[in-house]
């Protein structure tokens, strides 16, 4: 949450024209972030295909590879439970289609019946729409490809599922790097909104205040992304023997996330009060400086994500600001609206203190009595 509130721009330059078209950095970052997943999929799918071909003797073990690839995927959520649900969905499609082939044989109308039955069964088993679609895709493959023996393809699918789960445990993606990046994005977005509020208060700028409220409201999707990647990281670290040492740190990050979820909600309240105050065009440097001090302390909370040794330093920095949040002491002659904005900073300070490991009760005790 670093940055000078005075000099920080309200908007930032966005490349356009040929510069935007020739900027390959997003492409490179996308490949870099997917590198482990690509290796995981390639190794697991090849191993499943080779096992079915050379060990089980199946001449065309297509489903062993496709089930592995579809189960792992390139999605952000790499939780073992999600992988298992995907495997089960595809095995449902294989079982239903194999049964139709065995009873009524292949053909276009058999395909229609098998596909319909698969979708009905899958929707009955799971409320997750992709579950049914994955089952249906596998049913189409089974109905379209011949098999030497009944249910050979089910065995291939099971091999693919086992390979996917084994890869999740033995070749895990780097969950902490992704969740840490998502966490920093939340702090960065909150800092951006707070800087704009500070600018609006210092200049009495209603337009900036409205823009700050927009930015504060836009933080919620970043919080959701962080929660998804963090929960995925915790699940993978519990499943993979290589990542188990990271579980304690990830649980600490979950406590920070819960606190920042509340902090960003309270930041929206502060932004709304700033919009109301800035309507009159008056400069309010004292209010701006109080918020700037609080957000400078929040910078240390962000840095403590990656370095737990900074947590006590961050706690003390936030505590110093929180202990000053008495509206009558800061603005003895201020209006009720101005004092209300300081009051709105109090729960924000409590949330930041809990993000440093304090209990809610201890954090509230830091605030001066009103």
């Amino acid at each position: 949450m670093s940055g000078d509130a005075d000099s920080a721009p309200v908007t930032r330059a966005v490349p356009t024209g040929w510069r935007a078209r020739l900027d390959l950095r997003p492409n490179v970052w996308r490949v870099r972030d997917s590198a482990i997943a690509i290796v995981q999929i390639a190794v697991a799918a090849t191993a499943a295909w080779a096992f079915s071909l050379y060990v089980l003797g199946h001449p065309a073990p297509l489903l062993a590879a496709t089930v592995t690839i579809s189960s792992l995927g390139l999605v952000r959520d790499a939780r073992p439970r999600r992988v298992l649900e995907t495997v089960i969905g595809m095995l449902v499609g294989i079982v239903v289609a194999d049964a139709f082939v065995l009873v009524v044989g292949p053909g276009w109308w058999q395909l229609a019946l098998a596909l319909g039955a698969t979708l009905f069964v899958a929707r009955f088993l799971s409320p997750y729409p992709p579950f049914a679609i994955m089952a249906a895709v596998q049913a189409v493959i089974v109905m379209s490809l011949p098999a030497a023996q009944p249910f050979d393809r089910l065995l291939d699918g099971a091999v693919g599922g086992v390979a996917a789960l084994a890869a999740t445990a033995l070749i895990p993606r780097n969950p902490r790097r992704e969740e840490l990046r998502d966490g920093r994005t939340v702090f960065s977005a909150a800092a951006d909104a707070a800087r704009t509020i500070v600018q609006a208060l210092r200049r009495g700028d209603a337009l900036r205040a409205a823009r700050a409220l927009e930015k504060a409201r836009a933080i919620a999707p970043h919080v959701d992304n962080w929660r998804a990647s963090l929960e995925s990281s915790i699940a993978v670290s519990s499943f993979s023997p290589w990542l188990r040492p990271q579980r304690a740190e990830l649980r600490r990050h979950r406590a920070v996330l819960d606190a920042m979820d509340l902090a960003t909600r309270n930041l929206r309240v502060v932004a709304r009060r700033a919009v109301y105050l800035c309507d009159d065009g008056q400069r309010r440097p004292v209010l701006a400086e109080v918020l700037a001090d609080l957000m400078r302390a929040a910078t240390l909370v962000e840095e403590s994500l990656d370095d737990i040794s900074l947590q006590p330093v961050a706690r003390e920095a936030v505590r110093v600001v929180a202990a000053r949040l008495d509206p009558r002491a800061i603005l003895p002659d201020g209006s009720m609206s101005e004092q209300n904005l300081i009051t709105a900073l109090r729960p924000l300070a409590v949330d930041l203190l809990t993000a440093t490991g304090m209990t809610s009760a201890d954090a509230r005790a830091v605030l001066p009595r009103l």
Side-chain angles (χ1 to χ4, degrees), residues 34 105 164 167 186 208-209 213-214 223 232 239 296 321 324 331 347 360:
S34 299
V186 170
R208 286 175 185 266
L213 181 55
E214 292 177 5
V223 174
S232 177
F239 188 69
R296 277 193 287 268
V321 181
R324 295 167 39 211
L331 285 175
S360 296

Side-chain angles (χ1 to χ4, degrees), residues 97-344:
D98 250 338
F100 266 87
V101 170
L102 187 63
V103 174
V104 297
W108 66 268
W109 63 269
Q110 292 94 331
L111 171 62
L113 290 177
L115 193 53
T118 299
L119 289 169
F120 276 117
V121 171
R123 288 301 284 163
F124 175 79
L125 293 176
S126 174
Y128 184 50
F131 183 93
I133 299 303
M134 293 169 196
V137 170
Q138 300 306 313
V140 171
I141 294 175
V142 169
M143 295 297 294
S144 303
L145 296 176
Q149 297 293 331
F151 298 106
D152 273 358
R153 290 164 296 201
L154 176 61
L155 188 55
D156 286 341
V159 169
V162 170
L165 290 169
T168 301
L170 301 178
I171 315 175
R173 302 175 189 184
N174 190 345
R176 191 177 172 205
R177 183 178 63 184
E178 185 170 285
E179 71 84 13
L180 186 60
R181 184 174 61 246
D182 288 339
R184 292 194 181 282
T185 299
V186 170
F187 277 94
S188 177
D192 191 21
R195 279 195 299 268
T196 310
I197 297 172
V198 170
Q199 291 170 350
L201 291 171
R202 282 180 174 158
R203 303 176 187 185
D205 190 333
L207 181 61
R208 286 175 185 266
R211 178 60 180 148
L213 181 55
E214 292 177 5
K215 291 181 177 182
R217 287 171 173 165
I219 300 173
H222 298 306
V223 174
D224 293 339
N225 289 339
W226 188 12
R227 190 175 301 281
S229 61
L230 183 55
E231 292 301 328
S232 177
S233 300
I234 292 172
V236 173
S237 67
S238 299
F239 188 69
S240 172
W242 318 126
L243 298 179
R244 285 184 183 176
Q246 297 184 12
R247 284 182 296 177
E249 186 69 358
L250 290 170
R251 284 194 292 267
R252 182 178 73 88
H253 285 192
R254 182 161 58 186
V256 177
L257 164 63
D258 291 339
M260 285 304 298
D261 187 6
L262 297 175
T264 56
R265 295 169 191 262
N266 284 316
L267 185 61
R268 289 199 293 272
V269 175
V270 173
R272 283 195 294 269
R273 293 189 184 278
V275 169
Y276 176 77
L277 280 175
C278 290
D279 274 345
D280 60 8
Q282 297 274 338
R283 296 173 181 264
R284 292 178 170 86
V286 175
L287 291 176
E289 191 57 35
V290 172
L291 176 57
D293 287 345
L294 185 58
M295 302 318 287
R296 277 193 287 268
T299 301
L300 293 172
V301 181
E302 177 186 358
E303 293 174 359
S304 72
L305 272 178
D306 200 31
D307 185 355
I308 193 173
S309 67
L310 292 175
Q311 196 172 64
V313 179
R315 183 184 303 126
E316 180 61 21
V318 179
R319 191 197 64 77
V320 168
V321 181
R324 295 167 39 211
L325 294 179
D326 182 344
R328 288 169 295 190
I330 294 175
L331 285 175
D333 299 322
S335 66
M336 181 66 70
S337 297
E338 290 172 333
Q339 292 188 351
N340 283 343
L341 190 142
I342 298 174
T343 302

